[in-house]
Amino acid sequence: KQEVTQIPAALSVPEGENLVLNCSFTDSAIYNLQWFRQDPGKGLTSLLLIQSSQREQTSGRLNASLDKSSGRSTLYIAASQPGDSATYLCAVYSGNTPLVFGKGTRLSVIA
Amino acid sequence: DTAVSQTPKYLVTQMGNDKSIKCEQNLGHDTMYWYKQDSKKFLKIMFSYNNKELIINETVPNRFSPKSPDKAHLNLHINSLELGDSAVYFCASSPQGSGGAIETQYFGPGTRLLVL
């Protein structure tokens, strides 16, 4: 059964820092991996989707990498801003259920 | 121009009551989902419908019954509410129903259910 773990559970950084969020999954037979952002009181917003055949995806200041064989993904945020403060969720699609989520990393960027 | 909407946003009710949560998407997607996010922040799939047909039914008590009157709507009815049902329930949709192989899912804002 697929399990997704995210480390750290919470992270607080000063504005302008570059940071890395980690995601690991137990079953490497995945179709894709997605990173979502969840703001308090709001739904999830998809940030990046990496297909199993891809190594990374970039969108603006965000870069997500995927190492399928080792069951790991990282989300790199460059030059963090207070507006980046949110919970970041990693989710994998393995074909049996639509998405299996991690618990998320709660990020606080302090001005 | 809301893509995926849910009502109500908040729901506070007594144990034993029956309640419904509604979801609508205006994206023209074929597949809709219900997820539950518990107090530990785990998001878990509950149900998935493709073109009004149930395609995924995870281990969910029979008290939970989804209904899809058309492919733009997926409602969740809960009978005999229990304290452990307190959670945030998210509706989502995706274009074709593969569940995510090449597509992302679009989430609603969530319904915060509190059972007293």
Side-chain angles (χ1 to χ4, degrees):
Chain A
K1 185 180 178 183
Q2 181 72 269
E3 292 183 3
V4 179
T5 303
Q6 291 187 243
I7 295 173
L11 181 64
S12 184
V13 300
E15 182 177 6
E17 272 204 8
N18 303 324
L19 58 100
V20 174
L21 308 180
N22 297 292
C23 171
S24 61
F25 45 96
T26 54
D27 184 351
S28 62
I30 66 169
Y31 285 87
N32 66 40
L33 181 143
Q34 294 186 57
W35 283 94
F36 290 86
R37 169 181 173 144
Q38 184 175 21
D39 291 285
K42 296 190 177 179
L44 283 71
T45 301
S46 180
L47 298 173
L48 291 164
L49 183 151
I50 312 178
Q51 301 296 340
S52 61
S53 58
Q54 297 173 324
R55 299 284 293 183
E56 64 177 346
Q57 282 286 327
T58 298
S59 175
R61 294 181 294 108
L62 304 179
N63 176 277
S65 68
L66 175 63
D67 184 344
K68 199 174 108 166
S69 60
S70 66
R72 293 179 185 172
S73 175
T74 60
L75 179 66
Y76 174 83
I77 303 178
S80 58
Q81 302 170 358
D84 295 331
S85 298
T87 296
Y88 291 81
L89 292 154
C90 166
V92 298
Y93 173 59
S94 305
N96 45 6
T97 59
L99 290 172
V100 178
F101 285 84
K103 280 189 179 180
T105 294
R106 192 171 63 256
L107 173 65
S108 297
V109 180
I110 302 170
Chain B
D1 61 345
T2 303
V4 183
S5 59
Q6 296 179 227
T7 54
K9 192 172 182 179
Y10 300 97
L11 184 54
V12 181
T13 188
Q14 300 287 331
M15 265 197 315
N17 284 349
D18 302 338
K19 291 292 179 186
S20 292
I21 308 172
K22 296 184 177 182
C23 178
E24 177 181 2
Q25 54 96 1
N26 61 6
L27 298 167
H29 289 169
D30 289 332
T31 304
M32 297 182 72
Y33 313 84
W34 277 110
Y35 289 86
K36 178 180 179 180
Q37 186 175 38
D38 61 24
S39 58
K40 297 180 180 178
K41 302 302 182 185
F42 263 126
L43 253 169
K44 290 186 179 178
I45 184 73
M46 298 174 71
F47 301 103
S48 175
Y49 269 73
N50 180 265
N51 275 317
K52 303 192 298 175
E53 288 190 22
L54 181 66
I55 56 173
I56 287 177
N57 183 351
E58 289 295 297
T59 307
V60 177
N62 292 337
R63 299 181 294 104
F64 290 79
S65 53
K67 284 189 172 54
S68 182
D70 54 62
K71 75 173 192 178
H73 296 84
L74 181 61
N75 303 323
L76 183 64
H77 188 76
I78 315 171
N79 290 325
S80 303
L81 278 156
E82 300 177 357
L83 295 177
D85 297 332
S86 296
V88 182
Y89 293 84
F90 286 98
C91 176
S93 70
S94 63
Q96 292 183 359
S98 65
I102 58 171
E103 63 201 26
T104 189
Q105 293 182 17
Y106 296 81
F107 283 76
T111 295
R112 281 139 195 83
L113 171 65
L114 178 60
V115 182
L116 302 174

